Amino acid sequence: MPSPSFTPPGVVYLVGAGPGAPDLITVRGRDLLRCAGAVIYDALLDPALLNEAPTHAERIFAGKRAGCHAMPQEEINELLRRKAHEHAVVVRLKGGDPFVFGRGGEEMAYLLAAGVPVEVVPGVSSAIASASAANVPVTQRRVSNNFAVVSGSSSPDAVDEPPWHALAQIDTLVILMGLKKIGQVRQKLTAAGRAPQTPAMIVCAARLPDQQIVAGTLETLEQLATNLTGDGPATIVVGEVVSLASTPLHTNREAS
Ligand code: SAH
């Protein structure tokens, strides 16, 4: 219950919402939403999930909208701290898993330093759920013994530039936030020794109604990207496992 006089900090739950469909949140995540006094949420969610929160709960959008700046991270951190003094249960709802490229770790560190208790509720990460949306396992005996998840959005001179030479040796490579830099991703991987004929696919809006899957090879990635419509989040998967894909390799809608 929201109470203006509530001061001992409540608990901030960093909840993973899963990759898209509202029924892919964990039971614990949903239960917490149902008793939340405030929900601070990001963009990559089906809004239906917010209906799980009590009608009186505060719903605060903290994500990025096309063409608009996201709320600065410092502001989100401070908002969470403040809300913890207004409500016993604060849910910070994040797409996928809160600790996979979600800045959940920063939010946790800030809150703990401010004396606010935090609990992390893991979520199904798009890193795995995007591949499985095409029936592609990220590991498979005799095909792929390992996988890595990397961000494709770092700038070429950034200190956080992924170790492409090492990544080129990984059986299954999952690239988040890589669609805008897909040409660079292809070029870096092939320059690092990954065969251009390696099967590759792009899964866009996985587990959402407008899901699209396009598959080909590493060297055709840019071409594949031109077949996508809309601006849903996209994940690139590179590796022999992609040849195991068994859903029709166009859109899910057409498949169902
Ligand atoms: N914490 C999230 C990832 C956040 S980074 C997680 O664990 O899933 C955001 C990136 O995740 C997007 O750029 C995209 O690469 C990927 N992504 C998130 N949702 C997706 C979806 N439904 N389909 C495909 N990729 C998705």
Side-chain angles (χ1 to χ4, degrees), residues 74-153:
E74 302 68 42
E75 237 172 79
I76 298 174
N77 295 347
E78 186 46 28
L79 174 71
L80 292 172
R81 191 198 62 76
R82 229 176 44 243
K83 290 298 159 193
H85 288 278
E86 293 172 18
H87 304 280
V89 175
V90 175
V91 169
R92 171 66 173 122
L93 194 59
K94 300 168 90 68
D97 183 273
F99 277 7
V100 176
F101 294 119
R103 304 192 73 171
E106 290 168 55
E107 293 173 7
M108 182 183 68
Y110 184 91
L111 291 165
L112 292 179
V116 175
V118 174
E119 185 190 309
V120 183
V121 180
V124 177
S125 179
S126 61
I128 293 164
S130 297
S132 66
N135 289 352
V136 168
V138 289
T139 67
Q140 169 91 347
R141 242 153 61 87
R142 299 196 190 89
V143 183
S144 167
N145 292 318
N146 50 68
F147 69 99
V149 181
V150 62
S151 164
S153 76

Side-chain angles (χ1 to χ4, degrees), residues 216-237:
T217 62
L218 182 55
E219 79 186 328
T220 64
L221 268 183
E222 286 139 289
Q223 179 58 38
L224 292 173
T226 63
N227 296 328
L228 296 171
T229 55
D231 60 353
T235 293
I236 303 164
V237 184

Side-chain angles (χ1 to χ4, degrees), residues 36 41 90-91 96 165 182 198 201 237 248:
Y41 63 101
V90 175
V91 169
H165 276 92
I182 201 159
T198 309
M201 69 175 177
V237 184

